[in-house]
Amino acid sequence: MICTIYSHHLGLERIKEIFLSHVPKGSFSGDNEFLEFEIKGGILNPSKKLRISYRERAVPSYKIPETDDSELTTNLKGLYGFVNSLPTVNEKVKNLFLHKILTLNSEFSINQEKGEIKELKAIVEDIAKEFDAVLFLEPKTIISKSDSQHFLDKDLNLIIDADGNCEIDDLGVSINSVYFDNDQNELDEDQKLRKENSEKTLEKENIKINKHLPCIESENETTIRTPKEIAERVSVLAVTNLVAFNSISSEEAVDYLQNYKLWDVTTEGEKEFLADPTDDKKAYESWKCEGIWTLMWALNKVDNLDFPNEFCNLENINSDDYPVGKDKDPFDFINSIVSTRSKSEILDANDLYYRYNWACVDERINGRQMESINPGIVYERQYALNWLINYMDQDWDNVTCDT
């Protein structure tokens, strides 16, 4: 494969035109998904062929909707997760790239099947520039910039590779106003009101507002995790949290989770932590107390998600309402949970923390320290809230906190 090109814009016919402007003697065959581009040869000049695949989203937009399960959207969700997992030397560019992935509407792959077309690099350059594209490449192609898998911008400069290298300082994220305007016209009233109320809260708290930050999904588009699923998740988190704070050993935690039939709902990441709970991993895992607090709030065991400037204290939760403890069967807690807070309450919190997190990220990428709220607390609470609303169908280990 030469490369895969992603763009916010659509236009298979324009792509064909760019090919033919460089190679007038070439010809296309096939349908709108799988094309073959051929330059016929002669006795001493063999034919040359490229295989081209193209697909686009059924409903172009500037974001990935929760309800879209098409092949391209599924691939974009995977792409987002892959990029999000990469290290980086330029966090600002990585964050902009993640934003750009959410706006992508088309995918275009080029595979060389026979011979080499000398004009191909110029063709790719023109397509990339005209479509404001990002390109995914393997090493050792005609336009590669890294010895590992990597992404290039519209000018074929390195955005990020598997080692986190980057050679640009900025990345444009453009939105076709038609898609944005159409989406705004289709917004439900609860989305508009939720955004408006969150911005009023931020204004009152003197926290920077991004008016262009879109609405989160509507109540009609959202499915909250079931009470049992939330209760099981918070039970496992409560056990791993005890290990993080050195209250029990990892061996005791594993025995507890296995004896009480929670091992099957313990994630791979949590199992890896329990297999080797280093001090660094414990420090990281200890932040999940904010996730526990958020999930317990969703289960009505915590009254409020207080302003995120001070750490929660799990000891403030009544021990009778807490899922785990010495000789305590967590299923007494799990089976007692039959309801959660309303979808509206949970989405209100999710929208607010989405905007809190944008303000924190904005400060960080501009080299400033967020003073009024704690970015770590905000992140962990948004993480739990995104899991609660099934954001992008991500499981617990792979939740992303977009801004």
Side-chain angles (χ1 to χ4, degrees):
M1 185 179 76
I2 302 298
C3 64
T4 301
I5 301 173
Y6 296 94
S7 177
H8 178 62
H9 305 287
L10 311 178
L12 180 58
E13 292 306 312
R14 180 57 187 140
I15 290 169
K16 290 181 182 178
E17 289 172 5
I18 292 172
F19 264 86
L20 293 173
S21 70
H22 287 271
V23 190
K25 293 183 179 180
S27 62
F28 283 99
S29 60
D31 56 30
N32 285 342
E33 290 186 14
F34 297 101
L35 293 169
E36 190 172 83
F37 181 70
E38 182 177 12
I39 304 173
K40 293 189 181 295
I43 297 174
L44 300 176
N45 186 24
S47 296
K48 300 168 184 177
K49 291 182 182 179
L50 292 174
R51 183 174 172 79
I52 299 163
S53 62
Y54 177 86
R55 56 184 177 178
E56 58 188 48
R57 281 163 56 183
V59 181
S61 182
Y62 65 95
K63 62 180 181 177
I64 297 177
E66 303 292 327
T67 53
D68 188 342
D69 59 357
S70 64
E71 284 187 15
L72 177 54
T73 299
T74 300
N75 181 50
L76 292 175
K77 289 179 179 179
L79 179 66
Y80 186 101
F82 172 63
V83 172
N84 194 51
S85 71
L86 295 175
T88 181
V89 298
N90 191 326
E91 187 176 6
K92 175 185 175 181
V93 169
K94 179 178 172 179
N95 275 301
L96 288 169
F97 186 27
L98 290 171
H99 277 297
K100 199 172 182 76
I101 291 172
L102 298 177
T103 73
L104 299 175
N105 286 311
S106 64
E107 175 192 82
F108 170 62
S109 297
I110 304 174
N111 288 276
Q112 197 160 262
E113 297 221 321
K114 183 179 178 183
E116 292 186 5
I117 297 175
K118 67 179 185 299
E119 298 89 352
L120 185 55
K121 183 176 181 181
I123 292 170
V124 171
E125 287 175 343
D126 281 1
I127 293 172
K129 199 173 290 289
E130 180 155 338
F131 280 76
D132 187 26
V134 292
L135 292 75
F136 172 72
L137 296 100
E138 299 286 348
K140 299 180 180 178
T141 74
I142 55 172
I143 54 173
S144 293
K145 290 286 188 77
S146 174
D147 293 330
S148 60
Q149 290 181 327
H150 57 289
F151 296 88
L152 304 182
D153 68 4
K154 67 177 181 180
D155 298 314
L156 305 190
N157 295 317
L158 181 65
I159 300 172
I160 194 169
D161 66 9
D163 297 316
N165 297 311
C166 175
E167 61 180 24
I168 58 177
D169 296 319
D170 204 356
L171 181 67
V173 183
S174 61
I175 293 174
N176 185 323
S177 61
V178 173
Y179 304 153
F180 186 82
D181 293 340
N182 286 344
D183 190 85
Q184 292 297 301
N185 292 333
E186 295 170 4
L187 287 172
D188 290 349
E189 284 305 312
D190 72 284
Q191 293 175 279
K192 299 175 185 176
L193 184 60
R194 189 165 286 116
K195 180 177 187 286
E196 182 182 325
N197 288 339
S198 292
E199 289 176 348
K200 285 179 181 176
T201 299
L202 295 176
E203 185 176 12
K204 189 186 304 180
E205 295 165 345
N206 199 29
I207 292 172
K208 187 175 180 180
I209 298 169
N210 179 356
K211 290 286 187 181
H212 300 292
L213 209 58
C215 295
I216 64 169
E217 299 305 317
S218 70
E219 292 178 35
N220 290 331
E221 297 172 299
T222 302
T223 302
I224 302 297
R225 304 273 178 178
T226 65
K228 182 180 179 182
E229 191 176 4
I230 300 168
E232 288 178 340
R233 179 91 300 270
V234 79
S235 297
V236 174
L237 284 168
V239 175
T240 56
N241 192 251
L242 290 171
V243 177
F245 283 96
N246 298 311
S247 298
I248 63 174
S249 68
S250 59
E251 291 79 13
E252 288 175 299
V254 171
D255 287 344
Y256 186 94
L257 292 167
Q258 291 178 341
N259 289 340
Y260 286 110
K261 314 300 182 194
L262 285 171
W263 193 244
D264 287 346
V265 292
T266 304
T267 70
E268 290 304 311
E270 288 162 339
K271 289 175 181 177
E272 289 174 11
F273 165 66
L274 294 173
D276 182 28
T278 63
D279 287 343
D280 284 345
K281 290 179 182 178
K282 285 180 179 179
Y284 176 82
E285 199 68 25
S286 68
W287 280 94
K288 296 301 175 189
C289 61
E290 295 295 337
I292 295 172
W293 188 262
T294 304
L295 297 185
M296 292 293 278
W297 169 83
L299 296 177
N300 281 299
K301 300 299 184 182
V302 166
D303 291 335
N304 298 297
L305 284 179
D306 294 326
F307 189 66
N309 63 340
E310 292 185 5
F311 296 105
C312 67
N313 185 350
L314 298 181
E315 292 184 1
N316 288 337
I317 301 174
N318 190 314
S319 61
D320 291 338
D321 289 332
Y322 206 65
V324 302
K326 186 174 175 60
D327 299 324
K328 189 173 185 178
D329 185 342
F331 275 88
D332 291 341
F333 170 83
I334 293 167
N335 293 330
S336 74
I337 302 296
V338 294
S339 64
T340 68
R341 289 185 184 273
S342 68
K343 186 185 293 185
S344 177
E345 282 182 282
I346 292 172
L347 285 171
D348 285 350
N350 184 259
D351 187 89
L352 179 60
Y353 274 83
Y354 168 48
R355 298 176 200 285
Y356 276 150
N357 196 26
W358 178 86
C360 292
V361 171
D362 182 67
E363 290 292 285
R364 184 169 70 249
I365 64 178
N366 286 294
R368 298 187 296 264
Q369 181 71 33
M370 173 60 81
E371 301 290 347
S372 54
I373 54 179
N374 186 307
I377 295 173
V378 168
Y379 176 86
E380 295 299 336
R381 291 184 184 178
Q382 190 196 5
Y383 191 103
L385 289 162
N386 277 356
W387 180 82
L388 280 169
I389 66 167
N390 279 287
Y391 179 67
M392 289 179 69
D393 298 319
Q394 295 166 336
D395 58 33
W396 181 263
D397 280 347
N398 297 301
V399 173
T400 54
C401 293
D402 303 322
T403 56

